[in-house]
Amino acid sequence: ADPQWLSQWVTDRVIQGAVWRENWFSLILEIPQSLRQQLLHRARTEDLRRSGVGGVTALLRAVADADIARAVFIAFRDHHRAFVADHQNQEKQAIDGQLRGLLRSIPRSAIVNGLSDLLAQPPEAEDLAVISELFGLRGAEADEADATLPQLQRERLREYLKSAVRFALSQDDFRGEVKGHLSSALARVGEPSDIADVMEMIRADIERVRQGRAAMARGDRSAKARGSPMSWSGWHVEALVHLGHLDSEPFLLDLLHEPEYE
């Protein structure tokens, strides 16, 4: 009888976690901007599992647009920096996980729209790390998400990722994760011609591993030495096949000469 009252009632129950199925969301008429800001604040400052209000992230996911996507991206990026500096803190660990999960659940198109100005700028380390990890996810779920990205957005993201290759190669990526995620992300929105960029990152990663092993053999316990056991060969191989299909065969055969790719 009163849709506005019902909308508020359902919104409150979703936040509390009392109802959670998505078909309840059709009864919600709108989420005021003030409430969106409150939900975002709680998502980045509270361990929602401990608070018992898991519906906060479900509601944000349901109403995610470009503005929310950008806000969640910034919240995760900034919080992750604080978490890395204090990685033993369990509350920060929980918040880091819930922000990461929320960001991954937002439609890729909303994220690209929300980050349009950032994608037009030269890459920066923290932004690139989050973007390449997000779009470099592997598996059926990631394939489905990437398939829904409109062509204009794919091209915008591709240009950003290609511009990031030179930047990534200049970084002290001792564990190889920057190149691994970037290779995978570029493969999902790239063209067959981008195989050259992936191969350049592969060669750099092989050199990273060999230099790290040599340092460890000398008794070095630096970050370079400790990072050498990390292998991203599976990610890079999958990127080559994703980009080139049958045309990737010569590159794969060439890599068989490298012990790291046997």
Side-chain angles (χ1 to χ4, degrees), residues 236-237 240-241 245 248-257 261:
H236 291 301
V237 165
L240 287 175
V241 175
H245 303 285
S248 66
E249 183 175 330
F251 299 95
L252 298 173
L253 290 174
D254 183 51
L255 286 172
L256 281 176
H257 296 289
Y261 279 79

Side-chain angles (χ1 to χ4, degrees), residues 118-173:
L118 187 150
L119 295 175
Q121 300 173 10
E124 295 186 3
E126 288 186 336
D127 294 336
L128 177 61
V130 178
I131 292 171
S132 59
E133 180 186 349
L134 176 64
F135 287 93
L137 292 176
R138 303 191 296 173
E141 185 178 346
D143 288 336
E144 182 179 349
D146 293 328
T148 62
L149 201 59
Q151 184 61 29
L152 183 61
Q153 294 180 330
R154 292 176 72 90
E155 292 174 359
R156 184 185 303 165
L157 181 58
R158 175 179 176 247
E159 288 303 313
Y160 172 82
L161 295 174
K162 282 182 68 66
S163 72
V165 172
R166 298 256 70 81
F167 177 79
L169 292 173
S170 71
Q171 299 297 294
D172 291 330
D173 182 23

Side-chain angles (χ1 to χ4, degrees), residues 10-158:
V10 172
T11 300
D12 292 341
R13 297 309 182 278
V14 169
I15 293 173
Q16 296 167 10
V19 298
W20 55 273
R21 292 187 183 277
E22 291 186 1
N23 53 4
W24 282 92
F25 295 159
S26 63
L27 301 174
I28 299 176
L29 300 180
E30 63 176 348
I31 303 294
Q33 189 64 29
S34 59
L35 179 57
R36 294 185 183 206
Q37 293 303 317
Q38 292 176 26
L39 297 176
L40 283 167
H41 177 73
R42 298 190 71 172
R44 61 175 175 254
T45 59
E46 294 181 32
D47 178 355
L48 297 174
R49 290 178 302 176
R50 182 175 296 179
S51 303
V53 287
V56 168
T57 54
L59 204 54
L60 285 171
R61 187 182 308 118
V63 299
D65 55 13
D67 290 338
I68 287 180
R70 180 181 178 82
V72 173
F73 174 87
I74 293 173
F76 173 67
R77 180 198 65 191
D78 295 348
H79 184 274
H80 189 69
R81 184 194 312 127
F83 168 60
V84 169
D86 186 17
H87 64 275
Q88 298 294 336
N89 187 306
Q90 293 186 355
E91 183 176 22
K92 287 182 179 178
Q93 184 177 26
I95 294 173
D96 188 78
Q98 74 191 17
L99 287 173
R100 184 192 300 270
L102 176 58
L103 183 60
R104 287 180 176 179
S105 70
I106 294 175
R108 300 293 200 272
S109 58
I111 294 174
V112 174
N113 283 338
L115 301 180
S116 58
D117 61 332
L118 187 150
L119 295 175
Q121 300 173 10
E124 295 186 3
E126 288 186 336
D127 294 336
L128 177 61
V130 178
I131 292 171
S132 59
E133 180 186 349
L134 176 64
F135 287 93
L137 292 176
R138 303 191 296 173
E141 185 178 346
D143 288 336
E144 182 179 349
D146 293 328
T148 62
L149 201 59
Q151 184 61 29
L152 183 61
Q153 294 180 330
R154 292 176 72 90
E155 292 174 359
R156 184 185 303 165
L157 181 58
R158 175 179 176 247

